[in-house]
Amino acid sequence: MLKEIKINTIILTVLLVLIITIYLLAENKANTSFTIIASLTAVKFIAVSFQFMETKKANLFWKILVSLFVVTFLIGVFVLN
Amino acid sequence: MNEQHKSIYYPPGGILIWLLIILEIFTFLGGIMVFLNYRTEELTLFQEAQQQLNPLIGTINTIVLIISGYFIANSIHFIKNGENKKAARSILISLLLGVTFLMIKSAEYYVKIEQGIGFSDNTFFTFYWMMTGFHFIHVLFGIGLLSYMYIGINKNTYHSKNYFDVESSATYWHLCDLIWILIFPIFYLI
């Protein structure tokens, strides 16, 4: 149990770093920001889903479905921007 | 229980909440895609409208919701391990962070209304009110669920042998996290 809480804490730290990075990138308004922000958003989504929501313990079907969703999101965002 | 989760019918939190999650995230994805499609057609309008939102407030709210998700995730490990007091405390922290999120969002809504920015002001704000509003309702419902779980754990209704409802509620709470993770950069940053 302690191991899982330690992993949660590491993931939380990573997520907080990502959130602040995304904010700073958006503030800088660099040309590459959009691609990086969308990609980091996908990473955040995967981290929360797999670790906090415990998708990692679910059947392969649910893991694939969540991953497919993220891929669809990224394709849609890149195509429509 | 962990072995049981390997079955397609028993994901963590139960299949019904997972079907709801899949349905909801794909619905929000549809909304995001339509929003981005309108954005390409009215790029200048969308960029000007976005200037009226404060990305720092959105970032703070993201941090609040993510930390809340962390505590609810920990509460599941505590309750499984029979540490009810720790589980209840973690749920309470999640709950208070959820309330903080809603208070910040309400303050943001209040400022927008004071500025005369309404639902039909322009396409950007129609989507903004609709999608963040739906998310707001989700968080509000989640707070109700977590309050019920908090009371249940304190009354010992939920414990290490009976925690399915708590796990389902936590999964629902993560749905609120996931939706916000998607809509925050779309409205505030990109």
Side-chain angles (χ1 to χ4, degrees):
Chain A
M1 184 206 68
L2 200 63
K3 187 186 159 199
E4 278 300 316
I5 290 185
K6 271 186 187 172
I7 297 171
N8 281 352
T9 309
I10 293 166
I11 294 293
L12 174 70
T13 312
V14 172
L15 284 168
L16 293 178
V17 170
L18 287 180
I19 292 164
I20 293 164
T21 307
I22 287 176
Y23 171 71
L24 293 174
L25 276 171
E27 284 292 287
N28 285 334
K29 300 193 187 310
N31 284 338
T32 52
S33 291
F34 173 80
T35 314
I36 300 171
I37 289 171
S39 306
L40 292 183
T41 298
V43 172
K44 274 169 30 186
F45 189 96
I46 291 277
V48 169
S49 171
F50 275 71
Q51 180 59 32
F52 290 175
M53 214 167 87
E54 299 191 314
T55 303
K56 64 178 183 180
K57 290 180 184 168
N59 182 277
L60 186 65
F61 170 78
W62 300 106
K63 290 177 191 167
I64 291 173
L65 207 55
V66 170
S67 307
L68 264 178
F69 172 82
V70 174
V71 172
T72 313
F73 168 77
L74 282 175
I75 292 172
V77 164
F78 287 129
V79 167
L80 289 169
N81 192 58
Chain B
M1 184 65 91
N2 281 349
E3 282 308 306
Q4 196 186 18
H5 288 328
K6 290 292 172 198
S7 161
I8 193 168
Y9 304 109
Y10 300 101
I15 193 162
L16 281 179
I17 198 80
W18 271 76
L19 290 175
L20 177 82
I21 284 171
I22 298 297
L23 188 71
E24 294 258 350
I25 59 173
F26 274 96
T27 305
F28 271 90
L29 181 67
I32 289 169
M33 293 305 143
V34 176
F35 171 84
L36 289 173
N37 192 38
Y38 275 108
R39 186 176 179 270
T40 53
E41 290 170 10
E42 304 171 61
L43 188 60
T44 314
L45 185 147
F46 272 55
Q47 283 173 337
E48 282 170 6
Q50 196 185 42
Q51 297 294 317
Q52 294 173 44
L53 296 179
N54 187 341
L56 182 62
I57 290 179
T59 303
I60 292 168
N61 249 352
T62 309
I63 291 172
V64 167
L65 214 52
I66 291 289
I67 297 175
S68 169
Y70 164 78
F71 278 102
I72 201 78
N74 284 351
S75 76
I76 300 303
H77 296 297
F78 287 133
I79 199 165
K80 281 179 185 173
N81 205 40
E83 296 180 84
N84 271 23
K85 277 190 179 173
K86 280 186 181 178
R89 202 185 308 143
S90 291
I91 288 183
L92 183 63
I93 295 170
S94 284
L95 198 58
L96 294 175
L97 287 168
V99 172
T100 307
F101 176 91
L102 290 186
M103 284 167 70
I104 295 171
K105 201 83 201 92
S106 301
E108 194 186 21
Y109 283 158
Y110 179 76
V111 171
K112 290 285 154 286
I113 291 165
E114 282 287 292
Q115 290 172 341
I117 299 170
F119 186 81
S120 52
D121 222 45
N122 60 45
T123 321
F124 179 91
F125 279 106
T126 302
F127 277 95
Y128 168 81
W129 284 108
M130 196 173 65
M131 291 180 73
T132 62
F134 272 135
H135 179 259
F136 188 99
I137 294 166
H138 279 75
V139 176
L140 199 62
F141 183 71
I143 285 172
L145 273 179
L146 294 190
S147 305
Y148 188 73
M149 293 307 127
Y150 175 71
I151 294 166
I153 292 172
N154 278 327
K155 282 184 176 174
N156 214 29
T157 310
Y158 300 114
H159 43 75
S160 59
K161 303 271 183 236
N162 176 28
Y163 59 83
F164 181 76
D165 292 348
V166 184
E167 199 173 41
S168 297
S169 303
T171 307
Y172 175 84
W173 192 249
H174 294 308
L175 166 69
C176 298
D177 274 3
L178 294 177
I179 294 171
W180 184 254
I181 284 172
L182 294 178
I183 63 175
F184 159 66
I186 299 295
F187 284 106
Y188 290 81
L189 303 178
I190 288 175

